Amino acid sequence: MLTDTPGIHHITGIVRNAQANVDFYTDVLGLRLVKQTVNFNEKFTRHLFYGDETGSPGTGLTFFPYPAEDDGRIGKPQISTAALVIPPNSVSYWRDRLTEHGVAIAEQTERFDETVLRFSDSDGTQLELVTGESSVDPWVNGTVPSQHAIRGIHGVTLLSTNVFVTASVLDTLGFELIEQEGDRVRYQAPGDRATVIDLLDRDVEFGREGAGSIHHVAVRVPEKEQLYEWHDLFREREYDVSRVKDRHFFHSLYVREPGGILFELATEQPGLTADADRDTLGESLFLPPWLEEDREMIESQLEPLERLPATDSS
């Protein structure tokens, strides 16, 4: 029996420089680098995971660094923006912090009774800090004081080639239409974290995947067995759907819905702490068992990466 997703599992983007990516998300945003691994489909490409202390579902931002990647262009069909939760009284802190780190704030605005700070990372990935409540405990050993630290994912914004079809897919996954403000339509899942997907109904140019673009958004599924049921449902609807894949930290499948958005459905277990020491998460390159024998070759092909010490809490 299929059940509604409780919300977003993780968001994955494409960037160019791994070190710049680590510097930005750990030093500037204060997230924890929870896992260094590789793209299981392209073993000579890093895959970096950031989040709360354990990278729990609903907190994960992940990135594939491709050093020679061309710039992406935001447009349809794409996930245009990733949004993160901050406490309601932390807007001034974050405005000052971003400015001090040379990050230009594109806009501060009010939306659905939330305050939103819009800016981009070093590769041009469009990000938002959004005031709100979250069940997520922040990463307390990062570079941001805990009272202001990011509380996981807020949501994503979608640019679809067919908003009506994409809206139907969101409804199928368990997101409910709750509000509209201008050309922005808000859908929300029933969970306690990472529950928001905004669908923009506007005429925009077609985008291009590349550095600074968001590759996919993953939503949470309780159990692996349900993935096979979702697979059959999407096949019946003639959607472009993958087989169920073993990602070691979770099982998942991918579906490209007719509006052009790439969704992943991912289980919450076993999680990023599987076979790992919580205290040393992200400090070394993790390889799944089927790639371990190639470690020396893989490491020789990856650009060196140094982690930043988490000592600045001002």
Side-chain angles (χ1 to χ4, degrees):
M1 175 70 96
L2 293 175
T3 58
D4 291 344
T5 178
I8 292 170
H9 187 283
H10 67 268
I11 303 165
T12 296
I14 298 172
V15 295
R16 186 174 292 110
N17 183 274
Q19 186 65 61
N21 187 256
V22 171
D23 292 349
F24 186 86
Y25 285 91
T26 61
D27 184 29
V28 180
L29 295 191
L31 301 177
R32 187 180 191 187
L33 176 58
V34 185
K35 189 70 66 176
Q36 297 182 49
T37 183
V38 294
N39 183 336
F40 292 171
N41 297 328
E42 301 176 22
K43 62 185 178 182
F44 298 123
T45 299
R46 287 190 183 274
H47 194 180
L48 303 172
F49 290 72
Y50 307 92
D52 64 357
E53 181 181 7
T54 61
S56 57
T59 74
L61 292 178
T62 93
F63 294 92
F64 298 125
Y66 292 100
E69 187 73 15
D70 292 333
D71 287 340
R73 183 180 62 244
I74 304 302
K76 62 182 181 183
Q78 277 187 352
I79 302 156
S80 66
T81 309
L84 306 170
V85 180
I86 59 172
N89 63 349
S90 295
V91 175
S92 295
Y93 170 85
W94 277 102
R95 190 172 55 241
D96 292 344
R97 181 177 182 84
L98 292 173
T99 300
E100 290 169 1
H101 283 80
V103 180
I105 298 172
E107 183 182 26
Q108 177 175 332
T109 188
E110 301 295 318
R111 189 171 69 209
F112 296 120
D113 298 322
E114 304 159 337
T115 301
V116 180
L117 292 176
R118 296 185 61 246
F119 59 100
S120 298
D121 70 8
S122 53
D123 281 283
T125 310
Q126 293 188 359
L127 302 170
E128 295 175 341
L129 296 179
V130 182
T131 57
E133 302 298 329
S134 173
S135 65
V136 173
D137 292 325
W139 169 230
V140 298
N141 293 325
T143 58
V144 176
S146 59
Q147 67 268 30
H148 298 301
I150 288 169
R151 265 78 170 164
I153 294 169
H154 177 269
V156 293
T157 299
L158 309 183
L159 290 168
S160 169
T161 59
N162 188 327
V163 294
F164 300 105
V165 173
T166 302
S168 175
V169 172
L170 293 177
D171 180 71
T172 299
L173 290 172
F175 289 84
E176 180 182 357
L177 170 62
I178 62 167
E179 200 168 359
Q180 181 170 355
E181 190 174 287
D183 60 4
R184 181 179 293 268
V185 184
R186 173 152 294 184
Y187 290 80
Q188 190 161 15
D192 63 351
R193 62 174 68 182
T195 58
V196 170
I197 291 183
D198 286 349
L199 183 57
L200 293 182
D201 185 9
R202 64 178 59 161
D203 186 21
V204 296
E205 294 182 353
F206 282 88
R208 181 179 63 227
E209 188 173 275
S213 67
I214 298 175
H215 186 263
H216 67 267
V217 58
V219 299
R220 309 200 294 276
V221 173
E223 298 175 350
K224 176 183 174 183
E225 289 69 25
Q226 286 199 13
L227 291 174
Y228 295 100
E229 297 181 49
W230 281 109
H231 175 274
D232 292 345
L233 175 65
F234 292 135
R235 282 288 298 273
E236 289 173 6
R237 297 185 180 185
E238 298 184 345
Y239 291 179
D240 182 10
V241 60
S242 76
R243 61 180 176 81
V244 174
K245 299 176 181 289
D246 180 0
R247 297 311 194 194
H248 190 77
F249 314 114
F250 49 82
H251 285 79
S252 72
L253 63 79
Y254 298 84
V255 58
R256 178 82 67 178
E257 52 86 25
I261 306 299
L262 181 61
F263 288 96
E264 183 179 9
L265 282 68
T267 60
E268 300 194 31
Q269 300 298 327
L272 295 179
T273 58
D275 304 324
D277 183 347
R278 180 181 297 220
D279 293 335
T280 59
L281 287 173
E283 293 185 2
S284 60
L285 180 68
F286 170 86
L287 294 176
W290 58 90
L291 292 179
E292 188 59 48
E293 64 180 4
D294 295 328
R295 175 175 289 274
E296 183 176 352
M297 178 177 59
I298 290 171
E299 289 184 332
S300 71
Q301 298 298 311
L302 299 176
E303 292 186 359
L305 182 63
E306 297 180 1
R307 293 188 67 248
L308 286 174
T311 57
D312 173 20
S313 294
S314 60

